[in-house]
Amino acid sequence: PIAAQGFKVVYDNYTPVSNSLFASSLKINTMSGDKKIDLGIEFNKIESNNPVDFPFNVPKSFQLIN
């Protein structure tokens, strides 16, 4: 409060996914002095434990760790 900084996250609209609850709505409010950012995220498709594929290769100078 002294530095006029704040960060708030609100999770809402919980949806059942694979025997668990997952927030399908997320609101983030951040403040630093007179600068404010408000961000809202709505998930329209929620899946659990599905394999993912990333379209990139690990450069040869790096070691892949599983």
Side-chain angles (χ1 to χ4, degrees), residues 12 23 26-27 29 35-36 39 44 49 52-54 58:
D12 201 8
L26 177 66
K27 295 177 186 172
N29 307 101
K35 297 178 184 175
K36 295 181 181 181
L39 175 68
N44 58 16
N49 295 324
V52 294
D53 184 33
F54 296 100
V58 177

Side-chain angles (χ1 to χ4, degrees), residues 2-35:
I2 295 170
Q5 295 178 342
F7 188 82
K8 179 180 178 182
V9 179
V10 177
Y11 300 93
D12 201 8
N13 298 329
Y14 287 88
T15 302
V17 177
S18 300
N19 298 323
S20 297
L21 291 176
F22 187 88
S24 61
S25 173
L26 177 66
K27 295 177 186 172
I28 300 172
N29 307 101
T30 180
M31 175 184 70
S32 180
D34 61 348
K35 297 178 184 175

